[in-house]
Amino acid sequence: MTDHEQPPTALPDRPGQWVLLSYRLPREPSTPRITVWRKLKRLGVAQISDGLIALPADARTREQLDWIAEEVTDSGGTATVWIAHPAALAEERKLAQAMADARAAEYEQVRAQAQQARHQPDDERQRTLRRLRAELRRINRRDYFPPPQRRTAETAVAALQPANTGTTPAPEENSA
């Protein structure tokens, strides 16, 4: 499950709302640009063009892009947040597919790491299990259009759980 309300995975017959952030930051110093880009990457944004990104619209994504816009302006840049609809359903599907493909690649990496960890000693496998659960939570937060690889990765990570223990994660795992 994600930490936010998920937009529907099946796209409707007409374009939905998206939150757009148009921003520009000075080239120097580069630290604010890098910081903003890393935050946008963690959110799983779709890049429409240089300095223009999009997320499916909900209260959470709107708030997050508002915060980043404020950070951009505080760093001497310009930023505006828009609520918009793609002009064509095909454009929206293309954006959603690009976002799903990016998450699918991340889930595939998690699945491969879980497969490699299957034969590790118990203590090492437990550390890998905690790390991969945390990674799945991070990916889930930016997964707006869940691909089939999500379930495969979750199953592979769950298989690392020793047979004689419960499936409830340890409390320290919830703080990632």
Side-chain angles (χ1 to χ4, degrees):
M1 286 303 290
T2 61
D3 293 345
H4 61 89
E5 182 178 318
Q6 284 278 320
T9 56
L11 293 174
D13 293 337
R14 53 188 196 150
Q17 283 191 333
W18 290 71
V19 182
L20 304 179
L21 171 64
S22 174
Y23 70 100
R24 174 172 272 189
L25 275 165
R27 290 203 176 276
E28 296 296 330
S30 62
T31 302
R33 292 172 54 91
I34 294 168
T35 301
V36 165
W37 179 242
R38 286 182 179 157
K39 288 180 179 181
L40 293 173
K41 188 172 171 103
R42 273 196 303 270
L43 292 176
V45 300
Q47 182 152 11
I48 296 174
S49 67
D50 192 33
L52 181 61
I53 59 92
L55 284 173
D58 65 21
R60 179 180 164 261
T61 56
R62 169 71 193 267
E63 183 176 25
Q64 289 171 325
L65 292 186
D66 282 341
W67 290 340
I68 291 176
E70 188 174 311
E71 187 173 330
V72 167
T73 55
D74 289 348
S75 298
T78 59
T80 55
V81 176
W82 298 71
I83 301 294
H85 297 267
L89 186 58
E91 291 300 319
E92 181 175 56
R93 290 182 192 268
K94 197 164 107 180
L95 271 179
Q97 188 61 53
M99 294 171 82
D101 290 347
R103 297 303 79 78
E106 293 174 341
Y107 286 126
E108 180 55 28
Q109 288 179 352
V110 169
R111 187 209 55 79
Q113 291 175 31
Q115 290 289 90
Q116 290 176 347
R118 289 176 49 196
H119 303 293
Q120 292 176 336
D122 284 349
D123 59 335
E124 191 175 336
R125 192 174 64 239
Q126 281 294 97
R127 283 192 300 274
T128 302
L129 175 63
R130 285 191 294 273
R131 182 178 55 79
L132 292 178
R133 281 181 173 160
E135 183 61 22
L136 278 176
R137 283 192 297 275
R138 284 189 288 272
I139 297 169
N140 287 346
R141 285 185 202 118
R142 59 182 175 258
D143 187 4
Y144 303 96
F145 306 98
Q149 290 83 355
R150 178 180 185 165
R151 175 61 54 204
T152 306
E154 290 171 344
T155 301
V157 170
L160 294 177
Q161 180 76 30
N164 61 351
T165 62
T167 57
T168 304
E172 69 271 4
E173 293 181 41
N174 291 327
S175 62

